[in-house]
Amino acid sequence: PLMPQRDIFSILIFGTRFGSSDNPHTQQSRASQASLFLVNELSKDYVKALGLDVLMFEYNSNSGTIDTTIGKEVSDETTLMLKSKSEGGSVIIQQKLSPKWKVELGIGNESQSIDIIHKKKY
């Protein structure tokens, strides 16, 4: 649909419309998303200096905190990651199956998960 350029740009980068809102929680969430986008972009320069392959920050809207994920490739196809959340942490083992497919096994304080991920190019 037709929309202002700033909304298009905001959706492409932050996944949400820029539009104004009187809700302070929504404004805080948008500010957090914008800040985290910049932090994630800037952290790419420091990843290799720290000897890591993954360094990612995500805003957790449920707890209002920032979740941190760090990771290291242990082989060409396997990456070991640690995710720190306010509710606890988890260990994630990511295995690349092909250029388009990977599987993640997650082990947390109170849960386990397995995710099969397909990467599609647009």
Side-chain angles (χ1 to χ4, degrees):
L2 292 175
M3 63 179 75
Q5 266 188 329
R6 72 178 187 177
D7 283 347
I8 293 170
F9 183 70
S10 179
I11 287 172
L12 290 173
I13 298 210
F14 305 118
T16 184
R17 278 189 148 175
F18 181 80
S20 62
S21 172
D22 294 333
N23 183 345
H25 179 68
T26 303
Q27 291 174 349
Q28 181 180 11
S29 176
R30 287 188 181 136
S32 298
Q33 289 173 354
S35 299
L36 286 176
F37 172 77
L38 293 174
V39 167
N40 280 318
E41 287 301 309
L42 294 172
S43 68
K44 290 178 182 179
D45 293 336
Y46 297 103
V47 171
K48 296 297 179 191
L50 295 172
L52 300 171
D53 297 301
V54 176
L55 176 60
M56 185 172 50
F57 304 96
E58 297 174 87
Y59 177 71
N60 185 333
S61 59
N62 294 331
S63 64
T65 60
I66 296 174
D67 299 340
T68 306
T69 304
I70 62 170
K72 179 75 175 161
E73 287 184 9
V74 293
S75 73
D76 289 339
E77 290 85 26
T78 306
T79 303
L80 181 62
M81 295 182 281
L82 300 172
K83 186 167 192 169
S84 173
K85 296 179 161 186
S86 63
E87 310 90 40
S90 61
V91 175
I92 301 167
I93 301 169
Q94 182 183 85
Q95 180 71 38
K96 293 177 190 173
L97 304 174
S98 73
K100 291 187 177 185
W101 290 93
K102 59 185 170 184
V103 64
E104 290 183 355
L105 173 64
I107 304 166
N109 293 347
E110 298 183 18
S111 66
Q112 296 82 36
S113 66
I114 187 163
D115 297 313
I116 300 171
I117 301 163
H118 178 259
K119 184 178 182 180
K120 183 176 181 178
K121 291 188 178 184
Y122 292 96

